[in-house]
Amino acid sequence: MMTLAQRVQPHPQVVDTVLDGEETVLLHLESKTYYSLNVTGTRIWQGLKADRSLQEISHQLQAGFAVQGAHADRSVLTLVQELLQHQLVHQVDAD
Amino acid sequence: MRHVPIRPAPGAATRLQPEVALLLCCARTGLDAVTAERFHVLLQHDLDWSHVLSAALQHGVMPLLYRHLQTLGPEVIPAAVLTQLRAHFYANVGSTLVLTGELLRLLQLLETHGIPARPFKGPTLAVSVYGHLALRQFNDLDILVHKADLPRLTALLITHGYQLPLTRAKAAALWKHHYHYAFVWEESRVLVEMHWAFTRRYWPVPLDPAFLWACPAPVSLTGTIVRTFSPEALLLILCVHGAKERWTLLKWVCDVAELLRRHPTLAWEAVMEHARASGGVRILLLGLSVAQHLLGAVLPQEMVHRIQADPVVQALTVQVRAQLCASLHGLPGTMDRHTFYLRTRERVQDRLRYFLFGYLRECSLLLLSSAHLLTPTAQDQPLLPLPPRWAFVSSLLRPVRLVVVHGWRLVTALLKHLPGW
C-alpha cells in the first residue's frame, strides 16, 4: 500500500515535455507508449522530477490549488499508483 | 552595436495572398503589437485553411501556427481546422519526444566510449532557440563528430542496432566528398546524421573546429543537460545550412530569426572573423538579410551596413524571398541552383572549385545519361519547322543549347569578381 512517506522518481526511460504549463506529455521509450497528465498531474510530475517527497508534493498542491489536505493526499497517491503501474516511476529508498 | 529594425519594402507585403501573409506572421515565437494586429486583420479574411495547414506543414512552421491560433484566435477559425491542427501538433510532440529520447541515449553511448559529440538542430535547436521542444518540426538528428572518430563510431552504432545502408565503395566516396553519414536505427527508423562537416567538398565552408568545439552551450532536454554549439557558432552553421538548401523552407529562416531574437548581443566580431576565414561572409549576410526582410529580425547596425554595401546579397535576398513566397503559394520556384551556389561565394577560389567540381561534374554525369541529354523539350525546337524525317535535329540541338545557355551564365557568375571583368 502506497503511503506519502515513500519516495518515487521518474523512470530513466521516460522523457516528457510540458505544454503551456498545464499539460505534460510523457513517452516511455521502451514501451513506446505516450501518456498525458492534466494540470494537477503536471504539478505532481514536476515535484517528482525535483525529487520531492510525496508529502511535500501534497503540501504544494494544497497551497497551489486551495484544496484540503486529504483531497491533495488522495490525488497524489492515486496518480503515483497509476504511474507505478505503467512503470513511469519507480520507488526509491527513503532517506 | 546599435540594433536597427527594418520594415519590409513598401508594397512588398500587399503582393502576398492573405494565407501566406498569415504564415509569415506566425513564423516566430512571439508577436509584437504590430504583428499581432496584422495577424488579427488577416484572420478576418476568408482564408483557404487547407492551404494554410498544408503550407505550414511543408515549411515546418505548423507548431508556431497552432500556438498563435490557439492563443489569439481560436474562436475565429473553423473548429474542424483547429482540431486538425491540434492533431498535427500533438503528433509532432510525440515525434520530437521519440527523437529526443534517442538523442539522449546516443549521446550517453558516445560519452561512455569517449567519442566527443555536439548535437545541433533538432531537439537542441528547438529548446535553445525556440524555448520549447514542441515548437519546431524536425524528423532527424544531427550530431557533429570529429572525422577521425568515424570508423570507431560506425562500428559502435552498428553494434547497437543502427544501420548504415551503404556499400563499401559508396561509404568511401561519401567520406571523401560528402559531409555526413546517415545512420538508421532499426527499431524505430530514427535517422541520425553524423556530420564531420556541413557542406560538400566542392562547396566548402570550412568552419574552424576550434571555434566550433569551444565554449559549448548547455541545453536542458527533458531535464538532462547536453552541450551544443555557442550561439555564434550556431548562427554560422544555420546560415551555411540555409544557403546549402537555398533557403527553400521557411523554418530555416525562422531558425536564424529566432536565434537573433534570443541572443541580441552576439560576439559579432568573432562571427565575422570566422565567416571571413571560411569564405562564408556572403553566406552569413544572406542569412541575416533574409531573416530581417521576411521575419523582421533585428540586426546590429554594422551588419545592416554590410548587407547594404553588398548588391549581390541584396539581389540574392530578393531571389530567396521570391522563391520562398512562390513555394508558400504552392507555386514552383525558378531559382537556378548552380548560379545561386556560385553567387553566394565571395572568394574566387570557392567559385572556381564549385564550377569545376560541382557544376562541370554534374554536366559530365548528364552527358553519361544520354536519354536526358538527347530528349528535346519545347525550348529545343528549331526556329523553322522541320519535316518529320529531320526531327532528330532537335535532339542534336539540345546539348548545344544547354552548354551555350547555362555554361555562359555560369562562367559570367564565376568571373564576376575577377580583376578587369
Side-chain angles (χ1 to χ4, degrees):
Chain A
M1 179 82 177
M2 199 77 206
T3 69
L4 291 174
Q6 288 166 300
R7 298 182 84 91
V8 297
Q9 281 180 346
H11 193 288
Q13 285 298 306
V14 173
V15 288
D16 66 272
T17 190
V18 181
L19 303 176
D20 296 323
E22 295 188 351
E23 179 186 1
T24 299
V25 177
L26 309 174
L27 168 65
H28 197 300
L29 293 171
E30 282 177 0
S31 66
K32 305 284 187 292
T33 310
Y34 294 96
Y35 303 85
S36 175
L37 303 175
N38 62 13
V39 59
T40 306
T42 294
R43 294 285 193 279
I44 296 170
W45 181 258
Q46 294 301 315
L48 296 175
K49 284 184 73 172
D51 201 24
R52 295 197 181 97
S53 68
L54 300 187
Q55 186 67 71
E56 286 171 324
I57 294 172
S58 175
H59 288 153
Q60 281 193 318
L61 283 188
Q62 291 170 47
F65 294 100
V67 294
Q68 293 193 346
H71 184 77
D73 290 350
R74 219 166 26 247
S75 296
V76 172
L77 289 172
T78 303
L79 179 62
V80 169
Q81 197 63 49
E82 225 179 312
L83 294 173
L84 274 169
Q85 209 174 332
H86 292 281
Q87 298 180 327
L88 294 168
V89 296
H90 59 98
Q91 280 182 262
V92 294
D93 296 330
D95 293 339
Chain B
M1 279 188 182
R2 193 162 67 87
H3 284 67
V4 179
I6 288 197
R7 300 292 174 199
T14 60
R15 288 195 286 273
L16 300 173
Q17 294 296 319
E19 289 82 0
V20 173
L22 183 76
L23 285 171
L24 291 175
C25 272
C26 288
R28 58 202 80 197
T29 52
L31 303 187
D32 58 27
V34 171
T35 310
E37 174 61 30
R38 179 158 175 70
F39 179 80
H40 281 295
V41 167
L42 287 166
L43 283 183
Q44 307 310 313
H45 286 73
D46 183 20
L47 298 170
D48 179 351
W49 285 107
S50 170
H51 178 78
V52 171
L53 182 54
S54 155
L57 284 165
Q58 179 198 348
H59 280 265
V61 295
M62 175 278 299
L64 293 172
L65 173 70
Y66 172 73
R67 168 61 57 88
H68 293 310
L69 286 176
Q70 192 202 27
T71 307
L72 298 176
E75 69 287 351
V76 180
I77 72 173
V81 171
L82 193 56
T83 301
Q84 203 179 0
L85 200 44
R86 183 178 294 121
H88 282 292
F89 179 81
Y90 278 90
N92 186 62
V93 169
S95 166
T96 60
L97 283 176
V98 169
L99 287 166
T100 300
E102 181 51 22
L103 177 62
L104 293 174
R105 187 181 84 98
L106 256 180
L107 292 177
Q108 178 64 43
L109 180 67
L110 296 178
E111 189 177 349
T112 303
H113 287 80
I115 298 175
R118 284 276 185 277
F120 63 103
K121 293 166 62 192
T124 53
L125 184 63
V127 172
S128 68
V129 163
Y130 288 71
H132 198 287
L133 210 55
L135 289 181
R136 190 177 184 273
Q137 286 175 243
F138 52 90
N139 52 19
D140 62 12
L141 299 174
D142 296 273
I143 302 175
L144 181 72
V145 295
H146 296 295
K147 196 173 184 182
D149 288 331
L150 261 169
R152 192 159 61 103
L153 180 149
T154 301
L156 180 66
L157 292 187
I158 289 172
T159 308
H160 283 79
Y162 275 87
Q163 288 178 329
L164 182 61
L166 297 170
T167 61
R168 205 180 281 271
K170 183 69 176 169
L174 289 180
W175 170 274
K176 193 174 175 187
H177 298 291
H178 206 50
Y179 54 96
H180 68 74
Y181 278 164
F183 293 87
V184 178
W185 188 30
E186 286 178 62
E187 206 172 296
S188 56
R189 311 306 296 169
V190 167
L191 179 69
V192 180
E193 294 182 355
M194 289 292 185
H195 291 250
W196 57 88
F198 301 101
T199 62
R200 293 174 195 253
R201 272 183 66 184
Y202 56 67
W203 196 74
V205 189
L207 297 175
D208 180 8
F211 171 61
L212 291 175
W213 289 88
C215 306
V219 173
S220 174
L221 295 182
T222 73
T224 302
I225 302 295
V226 302
R227 289 183 296 178
T228 184
F229 296 113
S230 66
E232 289 77 10
L234 187 56
L235 176 63
L236 279 173
I237 291 167
L238 293 177
C239 289
V240 169
H241 175 265
K244 174 174 69 73
E245 301 294 336
R246 290 171 289 136
W247 297 104
T248 48
L249 289 186
L250 183 57
K251 76 170 179 179
W252 294 326
V253 183
C254 200
D255 291 342
V256 174
E258 288 302 313
L259 185 148
L260 294 171
R261 277 195 192 93
R262 194 161 281 264
H263 300 281
T265 56
L266 288 174
W268 285 103
E269 292 81 7
V271 173
M272 279 302 301
E273 177 196 332
H274 290 284
R276 196 175 295 116
S278 57
V281 171
R282 189 168 283 165
I283 288 170
L284 167 68
L285 295 180
L286 176 59
L288 298 178
S289 179
V290 171
Q292 178 191 58
H293 280 87
L294 267 175
L295 298 181
V298 176
L299 302 179
Q301 197 170 30
E302 186 189 330
M303 292 300 130
V304 173
H305 289 156
R306 285 182 184 274
I307 290 167
Q308 289 171 343
D310 190 334
V312 176
V313 169
Q314 294 180 62
L316 286 171
T317 301
V318 170
Q319 208 177 356
V320 165
R321 183 180 182 279
Q323 171 91 4
L324 255 177
C325 290
S327 176
L328 287 165
H329 280 102
L331 301 169
T334 56
M335 188 192 295
D336 179 76
R337 175 163 57 96
H338 298 300
T339 310
F340 179 85
Y341 285 141
L342 279 174
R343 296 186 79 198
T344 48
R345 309 313 302 267
E346 65 268 16
R347 299 190 308 195
V348 173
Q349 66 262 41
D350 295 322
R351 290 167 164 242
L352 196 58
R353 177 184 282 266
Y354 181 75
F355 184 78
L356 292 174
F357 301 113
Y359 172 66
L360 285 185
R361 178 176 167 273
E362 193 169 305
C363 281
S364 61
L365 289 174
L366 277 177
L367 277 170
L368 293 174
S369 164
S370 56
H372 170 85
L373 186 66
L374 297 177
T375 304
T377 65
Q379 291 168 295
D380 300 307
Q381 301 307 319
L383 293 174
L384 296 175
L386 295 173
R389 61 180 175 160
W390 292 96
F392 69 90
V393 171
S394 299
S395 298
L396 298 178
L397 284 176
R398 176 165 170 75
V400 174
R401 185 184 71 81
L402 287 175
V403 169
V404 168
V405 170
H406 295 289
W408 179 246
R409 193 162 73 219
L410 284 167
V411 167
T412 306
L414 167 69
L415 298 175
K416 193 84 174 163
H417 291 287
L418 284 180
W421 179 259

